[in-house]
Amino acid sequence: MLRGKQTWWFDKRPVIIGSATVVGPDEGNGPLAADFDLIHPELDMQQKTWEKAERLLLEQASDFALEHAGIDKQQLQFYVGGDLMNQIISNSFAARTVGAPYLGVFGACSTSMESLAIASLIVNSGSGQYVLAGTCSHNCTVEKQFRYPTEYGSQKPPTAQYTVTGAGAVVVAAEGEGPVIECATVGKIVDLGIKDPFNMGAAMAPAAVDTIQTHFNDTGREPGDYDLIVTGDLASVGFPIARDLLKRDGVQMEQTEFNDCGLMIYDLDKQQVQAGGSGCGCSAVVTYGHLLKRMKQGELRRILMVATGALLSPISYQQGESIPCIAHAVSIEQPN
């Protein structure tokens, strides 16, 4: 099961039998709009608070994922999820609605692949037949907690990223039709001493590089074994850094298509999103919406999704701490 130092190899090949994405208006105006299940035209989504709007995103994505999987809530054995709010409250309250036994996780913006890896581990070990994995973020909750409230109107530097309003959920099963989870490389903390919360792309890039290289070392694979390798949300600052670091270390990323969810979800030339997308919802909606759709259409056979996370909090930032970062990678393959 454990291959190399940090990679879980899933010999039973757990299957994604249902997936869903729900997003906000900015994401609905981006280039991937056609690949989302539901687009809300307003950020408040007719809720009394931003936090309740974020919770709604995840509840709706979970319901759609179950519907697409062809099962109901009573058939779920476990739900694995997390988000960026204090005590991961969006998932805790959504889990109350789902009703399945709940495992809350936190990996910041890497939570999408962390929860998918754990869900796959549960299924592969025979500890569950159907496991739901989900995560979410909302621009007006995350910006308020980690930077400045949107209503404050503060000017952000060009290195800052724009939190994605969106939620993604998948149902992982022991058998069925859909893309299979081959393996997951669990990242370790990488901290190069960056303290600027407005430059998380640069902080997270070395963690992405470390996990990508570890994945290749553990599996014996190389970039050309994948049709696409995509990082979570390094955006226009962090992604070039990661690309340069991989080139410096002799990793031949030119063998494949290499991209970043934070660059894919918005049109940076037309939308005012600073350096690009971020947040738990960024890699979730791009992967569970756009990329899985491309796989089902036969455009992609095997992808490596490397979700990245900056593990800071308002408290750690205010105390002058640096930003620990992590990246988790999951290999997804579409059977012939």
Side-chain angles (χ1 to χ4, degrees), residues 12-312:
K12 303 292 179 57
R13 294 170 68 84
V15 187
I16 297 175
I17 61 169
S19 63
T21 53
V22 180
V23 301
D26 292 314
E27 296 69 28
N29 288 325
L32 307 184
D35 297 331
F36 304 133
D37 292 280
L38 177 63
I39 299 171
H40 284 276
E42 302 291 342
L43 279 170
D44 64 4
M45 301 165 199
Q46 300 181 345
Q47 302 298 301
K48 292 183 178 180
T49 67
W50 301 125
E51 288 74 17
K52 288 183 178 179
E54 179 174 330
R55 185 195 317 169
L56 177 66
L57 288 168
L58 185 55
E59 290 173 342
Q60 291 177 326
S62 299
D63 286 343
F64 281 132
L66 289 168
E67 179 183 339
H68 296 163
I71 66 171
D72 56 37
K73 294 177 181 179
Q74 287 70 35
Q75 293 175 268
L76 283 177
Q77 273 80 48
F78 297 98
Y79 168 53
V80 185
D83 53 81
L84 290 167
M85 293 296 93
N86 288 337
Q87 287 74 51
I88 55 175
I89 57 171
S90 296
N91 270 263
S92 298
F93 283 101
R96 179 181 63 185
T97 303
V98 171
Y102 169 57
L103 292 167
V105 297
F106 179 80
C109 302
S110 71
T111 300
S112 62
M113 292 304 107
E114 180 181 5
S115 58
L116 180 58
I118 294 172
S120 301
L121 182 66
I122 293 171
V123 171
N124 195 76
S125 68
S127 300
Q129 178 75 18
Y130 299 111
V131 182
L132 180 69
T135 189
C136 59
S137 56
H138 191 293
N139 185 272
C140 296
T141 63
V142 177
E143 295 288 335
K144 177 172 66 175
Q145 178 160 320
F146 286 93
R147 300 181 183 104
Y148 296 104
T150 303
E151 296 87 346
Y152 186 71
S154 65
Q155 185 172 352
K156 298 179 177 65
T159 56
Q161 292 170 238
Y162 190 85
T163 304
V164 167
T165 298
V170 291
V171 177
V172 182
E175 57 184 15
E177 294 186 2
V180 300
I181 311 300
E182 290 189 302
C183 58
T185 300
V186 180
K188 61 184 180 182
I189 298 294
V190 178
D191 186 345
L192 295 189
I194 294 176
K195 298 182 178 182
D196 183 4
F198 292 101
N199 193 9
M200 291 192 298
M204 294 186 292
V209 170
D210 183 80
T211 297
I212 290 171
Q213 292 179 313
T214 299
H215 176 79
F216 291 145
N217 291 335
D218 285 353
T219 63
R221 290 179 173 176
E222 57 185 25
D225 292 317
Y226 293 94
D227 299 314
L228 170 68
I229 297 174
V230 58
T231 49
D233 54 347
L234 301 181
S236 64
V237 175
F239 184 66
I241 294 173
R243 191 169 50 204
D244 289 346
L245 290 173
L246 289 164
K247 183 177 181 180
R248 179 203 66 183
D249 293 342
V251 182
Q252 299 178 350
M253 298 302 289
E254 66 275 6
Q255 293 179 357
T256 187
E257 180 185 351
F258 186 33
N259 211 333
D260 180 79
C261 295
L263 297 175
M264 297 167 67
I265 192 166
Y266 297 124
D267 186 333
L268 270 64
D269 293 328
K270 297 179 180 179
Q271 294 179 279
Q272 296 182 357
V273 291
Q274 289 91 41
S278 68
C280 289
C282 184
S283 58
V285 300
V286 173
T287 304
Y288 299 157
H290 175 66
L291 296 182
L292 290 188
K293 183 176 180 179
R294 288 184 64 189
M295 296 188 80
K296 291 175 181 177
Q297 292 175 340
E299 297 177 18
L300 299 170
R301 187 182 68 87
R302 180 188 287 156
I303 67 171
L304 183 67
M305 175 62 226
V306 188
T308 48
L311 305 179
L312 79 162

